[in-house]
Amino acid sequence: MDAALERPDHARANDRQFVTALARGLDILRAFRPEDGPLGNQELAKRTGLPKPTISRLTYTLTQLGYLNYDRKLGVYSLGGGVLALGYVALAHLDVRRVARPLMQDLADECGASVGLGARDRLNMLYVENCEGQNIVALRVSAGSRIPLATSAMGRAYLAGLTDRERTPLIDQIIRKYPDDKAALVRGIERSIKEIEKRGFCLGIGDWRKDVNGAGAPLALPNGAGLFALNCGGPAYLLKAKDIEESYGPRLVEIASKVVASIGVKTRR
């Protein structure tokens, strides 16, 4: 999934507050993925859709600032200490991650699958925490992994947690990116919204990947502190639809409620 396809329109001629050069530099940092090795300018240009001369100037600048490391022998870049420092600071300030983790691990141990906490990153959900049960063998994700917003249970749960005004432009972006899949995507998102309105979680039975089942639930922090989503997912042979619907989905709703209550108590002190 190329970053060029996900990047919002930076040609905002009428928006004088928007700094295009900064946005392009951040696009380069976003182009790196957890499974990647170092990347060269050609691959970065492909992923971001930016011209190679622009890439060269930006990677030079980011290297000078410590956000990229440059291997002169191979001519490739990797993320530098500056990015790691920002990431660690951000994670350290996520109380939701600290509060949710033990509850997530309990469910992961119970169902033998993966239980994740994610935040939106453009048209993906970015894992900020993940817990795995001892039996899981076929679905390995970690903090920093991304899954699609439109087809995953976690992503659809996030969409369901938004207001109509917030959700509509995101769905429009999804449709523009996948016009041939418009009907199926809209149908799946609408179904998930109805499921969450009815019982607090949505099902993902082979929607993201045919061999993976799961459920998702929105987690909206109090006082507008942010919207996250939880999921429980694993191989279809391990997570049966009936068990997800009757047990694991409701547990996600319970976890979300406990996290919100715990963080709400802290913010009122």
Side-chain angles (χ1 to χ4, degrees), residues 14 42 47 72 91 99 117 131 171 183 205 210 218 245 251 255:
N14 297 323
Q42 184 173 349
R47 293 190 180 188
R72 294 182 179 275
L91 288 176
V99 174
L117 173 69
C131 299
I171 294 178
I205 308 301
K210 291 183 178 180
E245 189 166 7
R251 284 288 303 280
I255 290 172

mmCIF file of all heavy atoms in Angstrom, residues 14 42 47 72 91 99 117 131 171 183 205 210 218 245 251 255:
data_model
loop_
_atom_site.group_PDB
_atom_site.id
_atom_site.type_symbol
_atom_site.label_atom_id
_atom_site.label_comp_id
_atom_site.label_asym_id
_atom_site.label_seq_id
_atom_site.Cartn_x
_atom_site.Cartn_y
_atom_site.Cartn_z
ATOM 1 N N ASN A 14 -5.063 27.642 -1.459
ATOM 2 C CA ASN A 14 -5.809 28.659 -0.722
ATOM 3 C C ASN A 14 -5.586 28.605 0.783
ATOM 4 O O ASN A 14 -6.148 29.403 1.513
ATOM 5 C CB ASN A 14 -7.305 28.518 -1.022
ATOM 6 C CG ASN A 14 -7.614 28.766 -2.490
ATOM 7 O OD1 ASN A 14 -6.991 29.627 -3.102
ATOM 8 N ND2 ASN A 14 -8.563 28.020 -3.035
ATOM 9 N N GLN A 42 14.986 6.119 -4.593
ATOM 10 C CA GLN A 42 14.064 5.660 -5.632
ATOM 11 C C GLN A 42 12.813 5.032 -5.029
ATOM 12 O O GLN A 42 11.695 5.307 -5.473
ATOM 13 C CB GLN A 42 14.769 4.653 -6.549
ATOM 14 C CG GLN A 42 13.902 4.191 -7.719
ATOM 15 C CD GLN A 42 14.678 3.336 -8.705
ATOM 16 O OE1 GLN A 42 15.896 3.240 -8.635
ATOM 17 N NE2 GLN A 42 13.968 2.718 -9.631
ATOM 18 N N ARG A 47 7.042 5.425 -3.149
ATOM 19 C CA ARG A 47 6.043 5.310 -2.079
ATOM 20 C C ARG A 47 5.339 6.627 -1.792
ATOM 21 O O ARG A 47 4.187 6.636 -1.365
ATOM 22 C CB ARG A 47 6.703 4.783 -0.807
ATOM 23 C CG ARG A 47 7.179 3.350 -0.923
ATOM 24 C CD ARG A 47 7.611 2.805 0.424
ATOM 25 N NE ARG A 47 8.081 1.421 0.302
ATOM 26 C CZ ARG A 47 8.368 0.639 1.330
ATOM 27 N NH1 ARG A 47 8.235 1.113 2.581
ATOM 28 N NH2 ARG A 47 8.792 -0.595 1.143
ATOM 29 N N ARG A 72 26.260 5.449 3.579
ATOM 30 C CA ARG A 72 26.930 5.940 2.382
ATOM 31 C C ARG A 72 27.339 4.813 1.437
ATOM 32 O O ARG A 72 27.312 4.970 0.211
ATOM 33 C CB ARG A 72 28.175 6.748 2.774
ATOM 34 C CG ARG A 72 27.849 8.039 3.514
ATOM 35 C CD ARG A 72 29.101 8.822 3.845
ATOM 36 N NE ARG A 72 28.777 10.057 4.534
ATOM 37 C CZ ARG A 72 28.452 11.185 3.925
ATOM 38 N NH1 ARG A 72 28.425 11.214 2.599
ATOM 39 N NH2 ARG A 72 28.172 12.267 4.617
ATOM 40 N N LEU A 91 4.254 7.422 23.027
ATOM 41 C CA LEU A 91 3.737 6.221 23.671
ATOM 42 C C LEU A 91 3.711 6.368 25.193
ATOM 43 O O LEU A 91 2.800 5.884 25.863
ATOM 44 C CB LEU A 91 4.585 5.006 23.281
ATOM 45 C CG LEU A 91 4.420 4.515 21.834
ATOM 46 C CD1 LEU A 91 5.391 3.371 21.551
ATOM 47 C CD2 LEU A 91 2.998 4.075 21.565
ATOM 48 N N VAL A 99 -3.339 1.447 30.732
ATOM 49 C CA VAL A 99 -4.533 0.947 31.415
ATOM 50 C C VAL A 99 -5.111 -0.264 30.692
ATOM 51 O O VAL A 99 -5.563 -1.235 31.309
ATOM 52 C CB VAL A 99 -5.595 2.068 31.511
ATOM 53 C CG1 VAL A 99 -6.902 1.524 32.086
ATOM 54 C CG2 VAL A 99 -5.078 3.211 32.382
ATOM 55 N N LEU A 117 -4.897 -2.700 20.271
ATOM 56 C CA LEU A 117 -5.394 -1.340 20.478
ATOM 57 C C LEU A 117 -4.799 -0.485 19.379
ATOM 58 O O LEU A 117 -3.576 -0.498 19.168
ATOM 59 C CB LEU A 117 -4.969 -0.809 21.844
ATOM 60 C CG LEU A 117 -5.259 0.661 22.148
ATOM 61 C CD1 LEU A 117 -6.755 0.900 22.287
ATOM 62 C CD2 LEU A 117 -4.524 1.100 23.416
ATOM 63 N N CYS A 131 -1.488 -7.625 22.358
ATOM 64 C CA CYS A 131 -1.247 -8.725 23.285
ATOM 65 C C CYS A 131 -1.589 -10.027 22.574
ATOM 66 O O CYS A 131 -2.582 -10.096 21.837
ATOM 67 C CB CYS A 131 -2.108 -8.580 24.543
ATOM 68 S SG CYS A 131 -1.770 -7.075 25.493
ATOM 69 N N ILE A 171 -14.869 8.175 4.510
ATOM 70 C CA ILE A 171 -15.476 7.214 3.587
ATOM 71 C C ILE A 171 -15.303 7.692 2.144
ATOM 72 O O ILE A 171 -15.042 6.882 1.239
ATOM 73 C CB ILE A 171 -16.960 6.997 3.925
ATOM 74 C CG1 ILE A 171 -17.081 6.318 5.295
ATOM 75 C CG2 ILE A 171 -17.648 6.153 2.855
ATOM 76 C CD1 ILE A 171 -18.504 6.089 5.766
ATOM 77 N N ALA A 183 -19.271 -0.511 -3.506
ATOM 78 C CA ALA A 183 -20.503 -1.090 -2.955
ATOM 79 C C ALA A 183 -20.208 -1.996 -1.769
ATOM 80 O O ALA A 183 -20.853 -1.902 -0.719
ATOM 81 C CB ALA A 183 -21.256 -1.859 -4.036
ATOM 82 N N ILE A 205 -15.734 -11.249 10.018
ATOM 83 C CA ILE A 205 -15.631 -12.674 9.676
ATOM 84 C C ILE A 205 -15.143 -12.795 8.240
ATOM 85 O O ILE A 205 -15.916 -12.738 7.285
ATOM 86 C CB ILE A 205 -16.985 -13.389 9.854
ATOM 87 C CG1 ILE A 205 -17.547 -13.111 11.248
ATOM 88 C CG2 ILE A 205 -16.840 -14.883 9.616
ATOM 89 C CD1 ILE A 205 -16.655 -13.554 12.397
ATOM 90 N N LYS A 210 -9.573 -13.647 4.348
ATOM 91 C CA LYS A 210 -10.548 -14.731 4.373
ATOM 92 C C LYS A 210 -10.276 -15.749 5.469
ATOM 93 O O LYS A 210 -11.194 -16.423 5.942
ATOM 94 C CB LYS A 210 -10.585 -15.426 3.005
ATOM 95 C CG LYS A 210 -11.176 -14.556 1.905
ATOM 96 C CD LYS A 210 -11.267 -15.309 0.595
ATOM 97 C CE LYS A 210 -11.895 -14.434 -0.485
ATOM 98 N NZ LYS A 210 -11.991 -15.141 -1.791
ATOM 99 N N PRO A 218 -15.111 0.399 19.405
ATOM 100 C CA PRO A 218 -14.517 1.729 19.580
ATOM 101 C C PRO A 218 -14.195 2.002 21.039
ATOM 102 O O PRO A 218 -14.843 1.461 21.947
ATOM 103 C CB PRO A 218 -15.615 2.668 19.072
ATOM 104 C CG PRO A 218 -16.890 1.912 19.260
ATOM 105 C CD PRO A 218 -16.545 0.465 19.082
ATOM 106 N N GLU A 245 -18.996 -13.767 18.667
ATOM 107 C CA GLU A 245 -20.253 -13.051 18.836
ATOM 108 C C GLU A 245 -20.781 -13.142 20.264
ATOM 109 O O GLU A 245 -21.296 -12.167 20.813
ATOM 110 C CB GLU A 245 -21.289 -13.587 17.856
ATOM 111 C CG GLU A 245 -22.565 -12.775 17.801
ATOM 112 C CD GLU A 245 -23.420 -13.130 16.608
ATOM 113 O OE1 GLU A 245 -23.071 -14.099 15.893
ATOM 114 O OE2 GLU A 245 -24.428 -12.449 16.381
ATOM 115 N N ARG A 251 -16.602 -8.954 25.445
ATOM 116 C CA ARG A 251 -15.447 -8.662 26.310
ATOM 117 C C ARG A 251 -14.718 -7.414 25.844
ATOM 118 O O ARG A 251 -14.196 -6.648 26.672
ATOM 119 C CB ARG A 251 -14.488 -9.860 26.316
ATOM 120 C CG ARG A 251 -14.970 -11.038 27.159
ATOM 121 C CD ARG A 251 -14.865 -10.736 28.664
ATOM 122 N NE ARG A 251 -13.522 -10.379 29.044
ATOM 123 C CZ ARG A 251 -12.537 -11.247 29.263
ATOM 124 N NH1 ARG A 251 -12.757 -12.548 29.124
ATOM 125 N NH2 ARG A 251 -11.332 -10.830 29.622
ATOM 126 N N ILE A 255 -13.903 -4.194 28.111
ATOM 127 C CA ILE A 255 -12.567 -3.608 28.257
ATOM 128 C C ILE A 255 -12.611 -2.117 27.966
ATOM 129 O O ILE A 255 -12.057 -1.295 28.713
ATOM 130 C CB ILE A 255 -11.563 -4.308 27.320
ATOM 131 C CG1 ILE A 255 -11.300 -5.741 27.805
ATOM 132 C CG2 ILE A 255 -10.246 -3.528 27.250
ATOM 133 C CD1 ILE A 255 -10.474 -6.574 26.835
#
